[in-house]
Amino acid sequence: MQSQLCHKLLSKISRNASSDSISQNPFISYTLKSNTYPSLYQQSFSRSHSWKLPDLHGVTGGIRNGFLSSSVLSRRIFSSTILKGQSKGLVNGTVWIQPRRYFHSFDSQYRGWKSVFRRLTTDGVVIGLIITNVAVFMLWRIASPQFMLKNFMISVDNFASGRLHTLVTSAFSHSDMWHLISNMVGLYFFGLSIGRTFGPEYLMKLYLSGALAGSVFYLVYHAFVAPLYQRSQMPGIDPSKVPGMGASGAVNAIMLLDIFLYPTKTLYIDFIIPVPAVLLGIFLIGNDMLRILEGDRQISGSAHLGGATVAAIAWARNRRGRFGRF
């Protein structure tokens, strides 16, 4: 008789403690409900805590000292919640649920970016890139030269100093009017062609890839190749501190990809002289290689070849039918 009475009292205390902990703690979603998981019976309060789970969808087992006795049982209890982006923990017989708001869905963020790109148009991307380049050009007239040198020009010294953003920002930077105009004219006509063929998202990726590759090629050239010309052609000049800027690498990637895709198309040099696209492509690449061999200090052939490399990779992927993953 005393044993039965003690058992009833302990069961009642356990149920009250569980319900009180739920109401006082906002992070608890629910306990083990009787309609889903059968009632839990505490066997001992002295040295250890044991809970017995009767038949749970064909699986029997129990919990002792906070550990499930069966791996199959643990999967049955926790898998459905974990798959939904939540986490569970069992504390004194109470299932704790981490609210879903504490978990970040990278897949939803990716879909968000994809939806942004779907709303863009080719004309919008081209005009947006041109406006950005013009804005940085105007910034050269407003900001201090030292600020622009550190944040909108690429150099080995800037890169070594941790200004990694110059790998991209230098591709939007022009201080000379004709340099800006020539790059923006090429971006407009060839950018529209590539964007209408592959879409605005692809055009944006191609521009940024050409910009990064152009900056990397520029750094490699001035870190390893330019010092070889230092004694004969650049006396007293530290190649690591020679800065560069311009969208030539990015525009070269867009322009040469269009040439690789449509080599028989007729292009007009200075809007006057008609030439086949393939001949213009050969001339551009050959001229940039000559600039590297001669150590040209005015125009960076290395940055141009960086853009040409991106165009060649994009063309090869397109030939394999994988242009959409560029």
Side-chain angles (χ1 to χ4, degrees):
M1 183 70 178
Q2 292 178 352
S3 175
Q4 293 178 357
L5 179 60
C6 180
H7 180 75
K8 291 181 179 180
L9 289 175
L10 291 179
S11 299
K12 184 177 181 180
I13 293 173
S14 175
R15 286 194 297 271
N16 293 338
S18 299
S19 60
D20 291 342
S21 62
I22 296 171
S23 61
Q24 295 174 3
N25 198 320
F27 293 97
I28 300 176
S29 293
Y30 57 83
T31 58
L32 295 176
K33 296 181 179 179
S34 58
N35 59 345
T36 303
Y37 305 105
S39 300
L40 303 176
Y41 297 95
Q42 185 171 356
Q43 302 296 330
S44 173
F45 280 86
S46 58
R47 296 183 181 179
S48 63
H49 296 280
S50 300
W51 304 86
K52 181 181 178 182
L53 288 173
D55 186 14
L56 183 65
H57 303 293
V59 180
T60 60
I63 303 173
R64 183 176 182 82
N65 293 329
F67 294 94
L68 289 168
S69 61
S70 171
S71 59
V72 177
L73 181 63
S74 64
R75 286 196 296 269
R76 287 291 180 88
I77 294 178
F78 299 121
S79 60
S80 62
T81 303
I82 293 174
L83 290 176
K84 293 179 181 178
Q86 299 174 336
S87 65
K88 281 187 178 182
L90 185 63
V91 180
N92 292 333
T94 302
V95 177
W96 294 64
I97 306 298
Q98 185 83 14
R100 194 172 293 186
R101 64 177 178 272
Y102 290 96
F103 288 82
H104 182 71
S105 176
F106 293 100
D107 183 61
S108 61
Q109 183 185 39
Y110 176 75
R111 288 197 300 268
W113 281 109
K114 294 289 287 186
S115 64
V116 170
F117 277 114
R118 290 192 189 100
R119 290 196 293 268
L120 295 177
T121 63
T122 296
D123 293 347
V125 170
V126 171
I127 297 302
L129 289 173
I130 292 176
I131 291 176
T132 304
N133 279 272
V134 173
V136 178
F137 173 77
M138 298 302 297
L139 191 61
W140 274 96
R141 273 67 186 162
I142 302 173
S144 66
Q146 192 68 16
F147 172 82
M148 299 302 295
L149 176 64
K150 290 183 177 180
N151 295 282
F152 287 92
M153 298 191 77
I154 185 68
S155 67
V156 177
D157 185 60
N158 265 351
F159 183 79
S161 299
R163 303 184 188 100
L164 304 182
H165 58 279
T166 56
L167 290 169
V168 175
T169 57
S170 60
F172 293 90
S173 180
H174 304 81
S175 62
D176 180 74
M177 174 69 75
W178 292 109
H179 187 201
L180 174 68
I181 292 176
S182 61
N183 278 335
M184 295 304 100
V185 168
L187 173 62
Y188 180 78
F189 288 104
F190 291 99
L192 288 178
S193 177
I194 293 298
R196 289 167 182 170
T197 302
F198 300 119
E201 180 182 357
Y202 186 90
L203 174 62
M204 179 70 75
K205 291 180 180 179
L206 185 63
Y207 184 95
L208 295 177
S209 298
L212 285 172
S215 295
V216 170
F217 273 57
Y218 182 91
L219 292 176
V220 171
Y221 173 79
H222 282 81
F224 302 105
V225 180
L228 301 177
Y229 300 97
Q230 184 174 3
R231 294 181 180 179
S232 59
Q233 299 182 11
M234 296 186 299
I237 298 177
D238 186 1
S240 65
K241 296 184 178 180
V242 176
M245 61 178 172
S248 300
V251 174
N252 221 36
I254 295 173
M255 181 170 59
L256 285 177
L257 177 58
D258 189 74
I259 291 175
F260 293 160
L261 293 172
Y262 311 107
T264 59
K265 183 168 61 175
T266 300
L267 301 176
Y268 293 85
I269 300 178
D270 295 331
F271 301 98
I272 299 174
I273 306 173
V275 294
V278 62
L279 292 182
L280 179 60
I282 294 173
F283 171 78
L284 292 175
I285 295 175
N287 198 29
D288 289 329
M289 295 181 67
L290 185 62
R291 289 191 178 107
I292 292 177
L293 295 176
E294 293 180 348
D296 193 333
R297 296 168 53 187
Q298 301 297 323
I299 301 176
S300 176
S302 58
H304 291 185
L305 289 181
T309 302
V310 170
I313 294 174
W315 175 80
R317 293 172 68 88
N318 174 64
R319 295 278 293 180
R320 297 177 182 178
R322 300 174 62 186
F323 65 87
R325 300 181 184 179
F326 179 77

